[in-house]
Short mmCIF file of all heavy atoms in Angstrom, two decimals:
data_model
loop_
_atom_site.label_atom_id
_atom_site.label_comp_id
_atom_site.label_asym_id
_atom_site.label_seq_id
_atom_site.Cartn_x
_atom_site.Cartn_y
_atom_site.Cartn_z
N MET H 202 117.08 96.25 92.35
CA MET H 202 117.37 97.33 93.25
C MET H 202 117.28 96.90 94.64
O MET H 202 116.24 96.28 95.05
CB MET H 202 116.43 98.47 93.00
CG MET H 202 116.56 99.57 94.02
SD MET H 202 115.41 100.91 93.70
CE MET H 202 116.12 102.09 94.78
N LYS H 203 118.25 97.14 95.50
CA LYS H 203 118.27 96.83 96.88
C LYS H 203 117.78 98.04 97.72
O LYS H 203 118.04 99.19 97.28
CB LYS H 203 119.64 96.32 97.34
CG LYS H 203 119.98 94.97 96.87
CD LYS H 203 121.04 94.45 97.57
CE LYS H 203 121.40 93.05 97.12
NZ LYS H 203 122.48 92.44 97.76
N ILE H 204 117.07 97.79 98.79
CA ILE H 204 116.67 98.84 99.69
C ILE H 204 117.86 99.24 100.50
O ILE H 204 118.47 98.38 101.14
CB ILE H 204 115.41 98.42 100.44
CG1 ILE H 204 114.26 98.14 99.50
CG2 ILE H 204 115.06 99.48 101.53
CD1 ILE H 204 113.11 97.53 100.05
N ILE H 205 118.16 100.48 100.65
CA ILE H 205 119.22 100.98 101.48
C ILE H 205 118.84 102.11 102.30
O ILE H 205 117.78 102.71 102.12
CB ILE H 205 120.45 101.45 100.57
CG1 ILE H 205 120.04 102.57 99.62
CG2 ILE H 205 121.05 100.31 99.78
CD1 ILE H 205 121.18 103.17 98.86
N ARG H 206 119.68 102.44 103.34
CA ARG H 206 119.36 103.60 104.19
C ARG H 206 119.37 104.86 103.32
O ARG H 206 120.18 105.10 102.46
CB ARG H 206 120.43 103.74 105.25
CG ARG H 206 120.37 102.59 106.25
CD ARG H 206 121.38 102.89 107.36
NE ARG H 206 121.55 101.70 108.23
CZ ARG H 206 120.63 101.28 109.14
NH1 ARG H 206 119.59 102.00 109.40
NH2 ARG H 206 120.79 100.23 109.88
N THR H 207 118.50 105.88 103.71
CA THR H 207 118.44 107.04 102.94
C THR H 207 119.67 107.93 103.11
O THR H 207 120.04 108.71 102.27
CB THR H 207 117.17 107.90 103.28
OG1 THR H 207 117.21 108.13 104.70
CG2 THR H 207 115.90 107.19 102.84
N GLU H 209 122.53 107.00 102.79
CA GLU H 209 123.54 106.51 101.81
C GLU H 209 123.32 107.03 100.44
O GLU H 209 124.21 106.76 99.57
CB GLU H 209 123.51 104.98 101.76
CG GLU H 209 123.88 104.28 103.10
CD GLU H 209 123.72 102.79 103.07
OE1 GLU H 209 123.76 102.27 102.01
OE2 GLU H 209 123.62 102.20 104.19
N ILE H 210 122.27 107.76 100.14
CA ILE H 210 121.99 108.25 98.89
C ILE H 210 121.60 109.73 98.99
O ILE H 210 121.15 110.16 100.06
CB ILE H 210 120.86 107.51 98.15
CG1 ILE H 210 119.57 107.45 98.90
CG2 ILE H 210 121.31 106.05 97.79
CD1 ILE H 210 118.41 106.89 98.14
N THR H 255 110.61 103.06 104.86
CA THR H 255 111.37 101.80 104.85
C THR H 255 111.57 101.30 106.31
O THR H 255 111.90 102.08 107.18
CB THR H 255 112.74 101.97 104.20
OG1 THR H 255 112.54 102.47 102.90
CG2 THR H 255 113.54 100.71 104.13
N TRP H 259 113.99 95.56 105.98
CA TRP H 259 113.92 95.54 104.61
C TRP H 259 115.31 95.86 103.98
O TRP H 259 115.52 95.62 102.81
CB TRP H 259 112.95 96.54 104.05
CG TRP H 259 111.52 96.29 104.39
CD1 TRP H 259 111.06 95.18 105.06
CD2 TRP H 259 110.40 97.17 104.20
NE1 TRP H 259 109.67 95.33 105.23
CE2 TRP H 259 109.26 96.52 104.75
CE3 TRP H 259 110.29 98.36 103.56
CZ2 TRP H 259 108.03 97.12 104.63
CZ3 TRP H 259 109.02 98.90 103.53
CH2 TRP H 259 107.92 98.31 104.05
N LEU H 260 116.17 96.46 104.75
CA LEU H 260 117.55 96.89 104.24
C LEU H 260 118.28 95.69 103.64
O LEU H 260 118.33 94.65 104.27
CB LEU H 260 118.35 97.54 105.27
CG LEU H 260 117.71 98.84 105.83
CD1 LEU H 260 118.61 99.34 106.92
CD2 LEU H 260 117.60 99.91 104.74
N GLY H 261 118.81 95.89 102.48
CA GLY H 261 119.60 94.84 101.76
C GLY H 261 118.78 93.87 101.04
O GLY H 261 119.29 92.95 100.24
N LYS H 262 117.44 93.90 101.08
CA LYS H 262 116.49 93.06 100.29
C LYS H 262 116.13 93.76 99.04
O LYS H 262 116.08 94.91 98.94
CB LYS H 262 115.33 92.65 101.12
CG LYS H 262 115.61 91.83 102.36
CD LYS H 262 114.32 91.36 103.02
CE LYS H 262 114.64 90.51 104.23
NZ LYS H 262 113.35 90.12 104.84
N LYS H 263 115.81 92.90 98.06
CA LYS H 263 115.23 93.47 96.78
C LYS H 263 113.77 93.74 97.01
O LYS H 263 113.02 93.28 97.81
CB LYS H 263 115.39 92.48 95.73
CG LYS H 263 116.82 92.13 95.38
CD LYS H 263 116.97 91.61 93.96
CE LYS H 263 118.40 91.47 93.71
NZ LYS H 263 118.87 92.36 92.61
N LEU H 264 113.35 94.77 96.21
CA LEU H 264 111.92 95.30 96.29
C LEU H 264 110.95 94.11 96.10
O LEU H 264 110.01 94.03 96.90
CB LEU H 264 111.68 96.40 95.16
CG LEU H 264 110.26 96.89 95.12
CD1 LEU H 264 109.90 97.61 96.44
CD2 LEU H 264 110.17 97.89 93.97
N TYR H 265 111.13 93.28 95.22
CA TYR H 265 110.30 92.13 94.97
C TYR H 265 110.17 91.21 96.20
O TYR H 265 109.12 90.82 96.59
CB TYR H 265 110.73 91.32 93.73
CG TYR H 265 109.93 90.10 93.47
CD1 TYR H 265 108.61 90.14 93.03
CD2 TYR H 265 110.51 88.80 93.74
CE1 TYR H 265 107.91 88.97 92.79
CE2 TYR H 265 109.76 87.71 93.43
CZ TYR H 265 108.45 87.78 93.01
OH TYR H 265 107.68 86.67 92.76
N GLN H 266 111.26 90.99 96.87
CA GLN H 266 111.34 90.20 98.12
C GLN H 266 110.46 90.82 99.21
O GLN H 266 109.67 90.20 99.86
CB GLN H 266 112.69 90.03 98.63
CG GLN H 266 113.62 89.18 97.71
CD GLN H 266 115.02 89.15 98.23
OE1 GLN H 266 115.57 90.24 98.63
NE2 GLN H 266 115.68 87.96 98.29
N VAL H 267 110.65 92.11 99.38
CA VAL H 267 109.93 92.84 100.39
C VAL H 267 108.44 92.83 100.14
O VAL H 267 107.64 92.49 101.04
CB VAL H 267 110.42 94.28 100.54
CG1 VAL H 267 109.50 95.10 101.43
CG2 VAL H 267 111.83 94.36 100.95
N VAL H 291 109.81 103.47 93.23
CA VAL H 291 110.57 103.78 94.45
C VAL H 291 111.07 105.25 94.19
O VAL H 291 111.75 105.47 93.23
CB VAL H 291 111.74 102.85 94.74
CG1 VAL H 291 112.55 103.28 95.90
CG2 VAL H 291 111.23 101.47 94.91
N ASN H 292 110.68 106.06 95.10
CA ASN H 292 111.04 107.54 95.02
C ASN H 292 110.64 108.04 93.55
O ASN H 292 111.41 108.85 93.01
CB ASN H 292 112.51 107.71 95.25
CG ASN H 292 112.86 107.46 96.71
OD1 ASN H 292 111.98 107.63 97.59
ND2 ASN H 292 114.05 107.00 96.96
N VAL H 296 112.08 100.91 88.93
CA VAL H 296 113.22 100.08 89.44
C VAL H 296 113.04 98.66 88.85
O VAL H 296 112.03 98.26 88.35
CB VAL H 296 113.37 100.07 90.88
CG1 VAL H 296 113.57 101.45 91.38
CG2 VAL H 296 112.07 99.51 91.48
N SER H 297 114.13 97.83 89.04
CA SER H 297 114.07 96.45 88.61
C SER H 297 113.60 95.61 89.87
O SER H 297 113.70 96.08 90.95
CB SER H 297 115.42 95.99 88.08
OG SER H 297 116.39 96.06 89.14
N PRO H 298 113.03 94.45 89.56
CA PRO H 298 112.55 93.64 90.65
C PRO H 298 113.67 93.18 91.60
O PRO H 298 113.57 93.10 92.75
CB PRO H 298 111.95 92.37 90.03
CG PRO H 298 111.77 92.74 88.58
CD PRO H 298 112.73 93.83 88.23
#
Side-chain angles (χ1 to χ4, degrees):
M202 170 181 197
K203 287 192 177 183
I204 297 172
I205 59 173
R206 294 185 188 281
T207 55
E209 295 177 21
I210 58 172
T255 303
W259 298 352
L260 297 175
K262 293 184 179 181
K263 296 201 173 250
L264 178 60
Y265 177 69
Q266 292 173 317
V267 172
V291 176
N292 294 330
V296 296
S297 63

